[in-house]
Amino acid sequence: MSKGFRNITGTFDILPDSQTIDGTTIPGARIWVDAECRIRGVMALYGFQEIRTPVLEPTELIARGVGQDTDIVSKEMFAFERGDTRYVMRPEVTAPVMRSYLQHHLDQKGGVQKLFYIGPCFRAERPQKGRYRQFHQFGVELIGAEGALADVEAISVMMDIYQKLGVHDTRLRINSLGDETCRSKYRKALLEYFEPLRSELSETSRSRLKTNPLRILDTKVEKERALLKNAPRLVDFLDSAGRAHFTLVKDMLGDVGIPFVEDPFLVRGLDYYSHTTFELESPVLGAQSALAGGGRYDFLAKAIGHRHQVPAIGFAAGFERLFQAMKAGGQNMDIPQHTQIYLVALGDEAQRWAQTTAARWRSAGHSVIYDLKGRSMKAQMREANRLNAGMVVIIGSDELASGSVVVRRMDSGEQQNVSLASIDSLVAT
RNA sequence: GUGGCCGUAGCUCAGUAGGUUAGAGCGCCAGGUUGUGGCCCUGGAGGUCGGGGGUUCAAUUCCCCUCGGUCACCCCA
């Protein structure tokens, strides 16, 4: 609009209060903090520990971890070079967390590592509803356990978090991609199936026959979806161990009361997934309906150069979509600012009194605010109201002379005179 | 990367079949209440009508370009 600087396309400022721009609500900082607190609370119930890794990572880590042929790596990375080092703004956090886990030998700490993260990610996509170039994720990486218990543990925290955040209208889809051997068998079968139908496929699907045939499964083209009905199913290619794992996961989800639908066409866009994959979607989100997605990634460690295979499962979830879902669910997206005490000071001497009194009360743990501009009483009262002050203490020349101040309760409007000598004890209660 | 839609006050939006001082609601500030908020009343500030070029006696309005926003495709959180 004006000629001044603006935030970069696809990014947004989080202001103290929520803002609505062209119908899109960007929650204020208080909302973000509140959501983060609740997420941390649920994580703690499960014993997940927070990990914070750098936003900048070696390009090679992401390229090898996420997969060279994925959209993320091939066209969506914010990457640059300095000297002979190549950097990326991380497009996701799973590979970085695995990197950190391996680098710091967290496997030597005994047991499994139950990690969670909260932070920004970057992808150079064209922004649209629910999609930004800098977006914010939270997620879980549960590393070191290969059994179905771990899968269900990861899915459970995820479901619990959405419950606690008041997002109830969701659908959990799950699938199993098996391991590399079943997948390559399946890939072959899929190729054989689609080869004769080549002419029916879209251009992108045809090129995927070469690069990544599995990705044809999540096509949105109607005609292709019809073709998929008779296509071979991945489940039929799982080996007995893979099948048993998947069955166990489904049984256990039933045991803990998490409803889900099995979706044989659920494949995820990142190379590192194997076996269990899942996605939580919300019908209120529009085109970008995925609230969270995840799966098992037992082969990631080797893909990024580790000697051994490291079993792991996790999910990543988007804050922006979470907030959209919360808002669509009728949740209040405004948490008002509030303060305990507002000092209305009139005149220089009263201001000095307010300053020293505020210092004393603040160190006692009360939130105390007073006017910094020497404004009129009316203006100060109005501000006290805006800040939802519980109590206002008024002091001017009269009060200084008489040695007592006026204390007003803002909710009831009750007022009383309190001597300067005893004012501290009143506040202490 | 491709396509549709949209740019008028801080926000949500009217408006002019091209015409002289561009409006409303909310918000903000002030007064009504010379020291008392939230409700009400009154007033005020705030706009190069996104930017540039063109057509015209005259452009916020019509045309072109550009920038920005938004939605969708691809894909993902």
Side-chain angles (χ1 to χ4, degrees), chain A residues 35 48 94 245 277 335:
Chain A
F48 282 88
T94 298
H245 181 92
T277 57
I335 297 175

Side-chain angles (χ1 to χ4, degrees), chain A residues 181-195 209 213-214 232 237:
Chain A
T181 39
C182 7
R183 216 151 14 149
S184 71
K185 278 184 205 159
Y186 176 63
R187 194 176 296 123
K188 250 177 237 163
L190 208 57
L191 281 173
E192 278 167 26
Y193 174 77
F194 277 119
E195 201 52 50
L209 280 176
L214 292 204
F237 290 78

Side-chain angles (χ1 to χ4, degrees), chain A residues 156-427:
Chain A
S156 296
V157 228
M158 181 180 83
M159 298 306 289
D160 236 7
I161 286 169
Y162 284 95
Q163 282 301 309
K164 291 272 157 51
L165 290 166
V167 177
H168 304 294
D169 191 6
T170 61
R171 194 166 72 128
L172 177 66
R173 295 185 295 139
I174 70 167
N175 191 20
S176 175
L177 300 177
D179 63 12
E180 277 174 335
T181 39
C182 7
R183 216 151 14 149
S184 71
K185 278 184 205 159
Y186 176 63
R187 194 176 296 123
K188 250 177 237 163
L190 208 57
L191 281 173
E192 278 167 26
Y193 174 77
F194 277 119
E195 201 52 50
L197 302 169
R198 186 175 257 286
S199 57
E200 315 261 334
L201 294 177
S202 66
E203 202 177 319
T204 49
S205 288
R206 249 177 284 157
S207 73
R208 277 183 193 150
L209 280 176
K210 282 189 193 133
T211 55
N212 193 349
L214 292 204
R215 288 270 298 283
I216 298 176
L217 295 183
D218 65 359
T219 179
K220 280 169 192 161
V221 183
E222 272 308 316
K223 208 197 283 178
E224 298 185 350
R225 295 203 72 87
L227 293 178
L228 284 174
K229 281 184 186 142
N230 298 318
R233 299 289 168 102
L234 224 164
V235 219
D236 301 323
F237 290 78
L238 297 179
D239 59 23
S240 56
R243 193 186 309 263
H245 181 92
F246 191 36
T247 307
L248 200 49
V249 169
K250 288 185 284 184
D251 286 352
M252 287 174 164
L253 284 175
D255 290 348
V256 295
I258 295 176
F260 64 90
V261 295
E262 196 176 335
D263 180 354
F265 302 127
L266 174 68
V267 285
R268 317 225 62 248
L270 290 72
D271 277 5
Y272 51 61
Y273 288 117
S274 60
H275 295 291
T276 314
T277 57
F278 55 91
E279 200 167 294
L280 188 68
E281 56 180 14
S282 160
V284 302
L285 252 38
Q288 310 305 327
S289 62
L291 281 168
R296 184 160 273 287
Y297 50 96
D298 297 345
F299 304 99
L300 173 61
K302 285 186 93 167
I304 61 175
H306 193 61
R307 247 190 299 276
H308 313 291
Q309 190 171 309
V310 177
I313 184 159
F315 72 84
F319 275 94
E320 291 79 6
R321 293 179 193 177
L322 163 68
F323 292 135
Q324 269 182 262
M326 286 169 63
K327 183 164 191 243
Q331 289 200 53
N332 180 22
M333 287 288 110
D334 286 299
I335 297 175
Q337 180 180 10
H338 83 283
T339 188
Q340 291 171 313
I341 303 161
Y342 191 98
L343 304 180
V344 171
L346 303 159
D348 293 348
E349 204 183 334
Q351 286 178 344
R352 301 300 289 272
W353 180 87
Q355 190 174 47
T356 53
T357 304
R360 202 166 62 244
W361 290 351
R362 284 165 178 168
S363 66
H366 299 98
S367 60
V368 185
I369 297 180
Y370 58 96
D371 180 50
L372 301 175
K373 296 207 303 188
R375 288 183 291 178
S376 71
M377 178 168 199
K378 184 170 185 142
Q380 294 188 47
M381 288 300 293
R382 200 164 28 224
E383 180 162 39
N385 184 58
R386 234 188 330 253
L387 296 173
N388 291 302
M391 175 196 285
V392 162
V393 176
I394 300 166
I395 184 159
S397 45
D398 294 355
E399 285 74 13
L400 286 167
S402 68
S404 72
V405 293
V406 174
V407 172
R408 180 181 178 88
R409 306 276 168 183
M410 291 299 271
D411 48 1
S412 62
E414 284 173 57
Q415 280 189 193
Q416 54 180 314
N417 292 309
V418 179
S419 73
L420 285 173
S422 60
I423 184 73
D424 278 23
S425 59
L426 179 88
V427 167

